[in-house]
Amino acid sequence: MNVLVCAGCGHRLCEPVRLLAELPERPLSSGRKNADGSRQAPSTVPRGTCAVDPEPSGAPFVPHPDPEWAGVAVPGVAVADPEGPGFLMSAGPRDTLVVHPEDTRSHLLGDDDCQDSGCCGPTGQQGPNFLCPGCRAPVATLFAECYGPYETHFLPAAVRLVSA
């Protein structure tokens, strides 16, 4: 088992996790209520695991060169370009470490300056919304909007995966 620690100060940022060989396919969500009344989409990774996402993740966002393109800019969610036709695509970091959000509870500090929220939770469109509690460096982005998967992405330069 491993844990993620802050690259700056060594503070532990999650429960013990096992690294998966690849990122599982992202689950789809209609945004409708679940049996428990929540609207959260399923997590991409099960609790107690993490995986590397090779695709760009989160902010910044740039217009896609093809105005007909309608792909996703954040996990599972398309973002319309507010300044023109078409959609935005992520130009954020690649190789983020994806962790189930429940494995980060009480290990991260919310960023009060990041007020990014959709109808059901943070969209991740403003970039990292969690800080290291030890040194207050931006370390992760929670994606928790109802139309996308429920997952936390750790910035690859901000964390290290170490043996627990």
Side-chain angles (χ1 to χ4, degrees):
M1 295 298 275
N2 302 292
V3 293
L4 288 164
V5 298
C6 176
C9 72
H11 191 91
R12 181 176 163 178
L13 303 173
C14 70
E15 293 297 316
V17 292
R18 177 179 50 85
L19 182 63
L20 300 175
E22 62 182 26
L23 185 68
E25 185 174 328
R26 288 201 161 91
L28 297 176
S29 175
S30 65
R32 294 191 181 111
K33 285 186 179 180
N34 297 320
D36 66 0
S38 72
R39 293 184 188 268
Q40 227 72 58
S43 181
T44 301
V45 295
R47 287 205 60 185
T49 65
C50 70
V52 175
D53 185 353
E55 295 299 318
S57 177
F61 298 94
V62 297
H64 193 279
D66 178 0
E68 300 296 317
W69 180 83
V72 296
V74 296
V77 180
V79 178
D81 187 345
E83 298 180 11
F87 289 84
L88 300 176
M89 64 183 198
S90 173
R94 290 180 179 271
D95 300 326
T96 56
L97 285 161
V98 181
V99 176
H100 192 291
E102 299 301 320
D103 287 331
T104 66
R105 278 223 197 278
S106 75
H107 292 283
L108 298 173
L109 181 64
D111 185 351
D112 292 335
D113 292 335
C114 189
Q115 299 299 317
D116 168 33
S117 188
C119 61
C120 297
T123 64
Q125 291 182 28
Q126 289 184 354
N129 49 24
F130 277 111
L131 308 173
C132 169
C135 66
R136 300 188 63 84
V139 292
T141 303
L142 171 64
F143 295 96
E145 178 59 319
C146 55
Y147 288 98
Y150 181 49
E151 58 192 35
T152 300
H153 285 242
F154 282 91
L155 300 170
V159 297
R160 292 188 332 265
L161 189 62
V162 299
S163 295

